[in-house]
């Protein structure tokens, strides 16, 4: 289903410093926000940065329909994102949304399915809204979140509202030590679907595990995107059906379409 796209000047309602390198922008509008699906993203215009010419793609972290809020979790990695992190309450942010195709949503007859949401780094962002929508549809999601240290785990209190949360850290400072694919949860419970987002090496490892266990799996790719509309061709990914633009055909793909195994 093709969803209508909007260019909106959203108001910054709140800026939350969730980590020394991450800020959470809570945006709103005088009108109801458009419908958005978990896994879709927003292209934001960065004003006031002379070296930032292109919009920045940011995953939809959460949508609160009651408060009419859109949440964007921003990792401050360059001048453009540092400019976004400096926004204050009352500022405006120009957004092109919603873009891309999101995760498959399980509900109804599939409510008994065991859905595991696996994230790492800023890749945990789209899993929060996905968990909320799954929970609302009658599915009890389980989150498996990885980070380098316990201090790098993001928004755990929010994830715990929508399902069980398990964590791994590389230094063992919180949860089990190691990577998400080493967590004992993977070998204790029956899982029927994995949905993942994070660093590419992590997602490839998750996809390899899913293939070995014959588990359906979807991955949200984080290829470099500029236009968000499939025009600039900078986010092309090789698939079983040929080269496709991640921003338009994805960013979420069933791993059976990806050539990662090769």
């Amino acid at each position: 289903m093709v969803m209508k796209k909007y260019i909106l000047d959203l108001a910054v309602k709140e800026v939350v410093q969730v980590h020394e390198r991450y800020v959470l922008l809570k945006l709103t509008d005088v009108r109801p926000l458009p419908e958005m699906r978990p896994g879709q993203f927003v292209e934001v215009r960065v004003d006031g940065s002379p070296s930032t010419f292109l919009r920045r793609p940011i995953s939809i972290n959460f949508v609160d329909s009651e408060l009419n809020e859109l949440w964007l979790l921003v990792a401050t990695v360059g001048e453009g994102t540092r400019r976004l992190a400096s926004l204050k309450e009352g500022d405006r942010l120009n957004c092109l949304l919603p873009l891309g195709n999101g995760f498959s949503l399980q509900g109804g007859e599939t409510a008994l399915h065991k859905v595991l949401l696996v994230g790492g780094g800023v890749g945990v962002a789209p899993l929060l809204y996905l968990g909320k929508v799954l929970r609302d549809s009658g599915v009890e999601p389980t989150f498996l979140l990885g980070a380098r240290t316990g201090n790098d785990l993001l928004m755990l209190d929010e994830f715990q509202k929508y399902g069980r949360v398990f964590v791994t850290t590389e230094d063992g400072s919180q949860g089990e030590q190691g990577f998400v694919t080493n967590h004992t949860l993977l070998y204790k419970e029956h899982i029927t679907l994995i949905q993942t987002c994070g660093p590419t090496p992590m997602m490839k490892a998750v996809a390899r595990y899913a293939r070995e266990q014959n588990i359906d799996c979807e991955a949200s790719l984080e290829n470099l995107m500029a236009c968000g509309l499939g025009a600039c061709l900078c986010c092309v990914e090789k698939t079983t059906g040929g080269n496709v633009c991640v921003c338009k055909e994805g960013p979420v793909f069933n791993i059976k379409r990806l050539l990662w195994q090769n």
Side-chain angles (χ1 to χ4, degrees):
M1 180 184 66
V2 178
M3 299 177 66
K4 184 177 179 181
K5 300 171 180 60
Y6 301 82
I7 298 179
L8 302 174
D9 281 314
L10 299 181
V12 178
K13 186 175 181 179
E14 187 178 1
V15 180
V16 183
Q17 190 81 41
V18 297
H19 184 276
E20 61 183 7
R21 297 192 304 274
Y22 299 93
V23 297
L24 177 65
L25 301 178
K26 296 186 179 182
L27 310 174
T28 191
D29 198 16
V30 294
R31 296 160 294 182
L33 293 170
E35 178 188 356
M36 290 171 266
R37 291 170 55 88
Q40 290 186 305
F41 66 100
V42 179
E43 286 274 1
V44 301
R45 191 180 70 204
V46 182
D47 297 326
S49 175
S51 64
T52 306
F53 304 104
L54 301 173
R55 288 178 179 265
R56 290 293 184 264
I58 302 179
S59 297
I60 293 171
N61 176 220
F62 194 75
V63 178
D64 189 322
S65 56
E66 293 185 3
L67 296 178
N68 200 40
E69 289 181 355
L70 165 63
W71 296 8
L72 302 179
L73 183 63
V74 179
T76 53
V77 295
E79 183 179 340
T81 49
R82 284 195 294 269
R83 173 62 185 169
L84 294 176
S86 70
L87 290 170
K88 306 297 182 184
E89 180 182 344
D91 288 344
R92 312 294 294 191
L93 184 62
N94 186 269
C95 299
L96 173 61
L97 77 167
L99 299 172
N101 294 302
F103 290 101
S104 299
L105 301 177
Q106 310 297 309
E109 296 179 357
T110 62
L112 296 178
H113 283 196
K114 299 295 184 180
V115 181
L116 180 66
L117 310 184
V118 184
V122 75
V124 303
L127 302 183
L128 180 62
Y129 186 39
L130 175 59
K132 194 265 186 188
V133 172
L134 289 173
R135 181 72 173 267
D136 288 349
S137 70
V139 176
E140 188 77 24
T142 298
F143 299 97
L144 177 54
L145 309 176
R148 291 181 180 177
T149 72
N151 185 53
D152 296 320
L153 291 164
L154 303 172
M155 305 178 73
L156 291 185
D157 55 338
E158 293 292 336
F159 284 102
Q160 290 166 352
K161 295 178 182 179
Y162 305 108
R164 297 180 302 158
V165 177
F166 297 86
V167 302
T168 64
T169 52
E170 293 179 28
D171 67 353
S173 56
Q174 190 165 341
E176 294 188 11
Q177 184 170 8
F179 302 111
V180 288
T181 47
N182 304 133
H183 200 285
T184 54
L185 171 74
L186 298 177
Y187 306 96
K188 288 181 178 180
E189 298 194 10
H190 176 64
I191 302 166
T192 59
L193 174 64
I194 297 174
Q195 295 171 305
T196 184
C197 185
T200 298
M202 184 210 79
M203 291 196 293
K204 287 184 175 181
V206 171
R208 182 166 56 250
Y209 167 82
R211 286 195 303 271
E212 292 171 352
Q213 302 298 320
N214 196 30
I215 299 172
D216 285 338
C217 181
E218 293 181 334
S220 180
L221 274 56
E222 296 189 320
N223 296 35
L224 180 65
M225 302 178 199
C227 71
L229 299 170
C232 68
L233 304 180
C234 74
C235 64
V236 169
E237 179 78 19
K238 294 180 179 179
T239 72
T240 56
N243 293 345
V244 300
C245 290
V246 168
C247 68
K248 188 174 181 181
E249 297 291 327
V252 179
F253 292 87
N254 190 297
I255 62 168
K256 294 177 182 177
R257 292 187 60 191
L258 302 174
L259 299 181
W260 284 349
Q261 64 266 37
N262 297 329

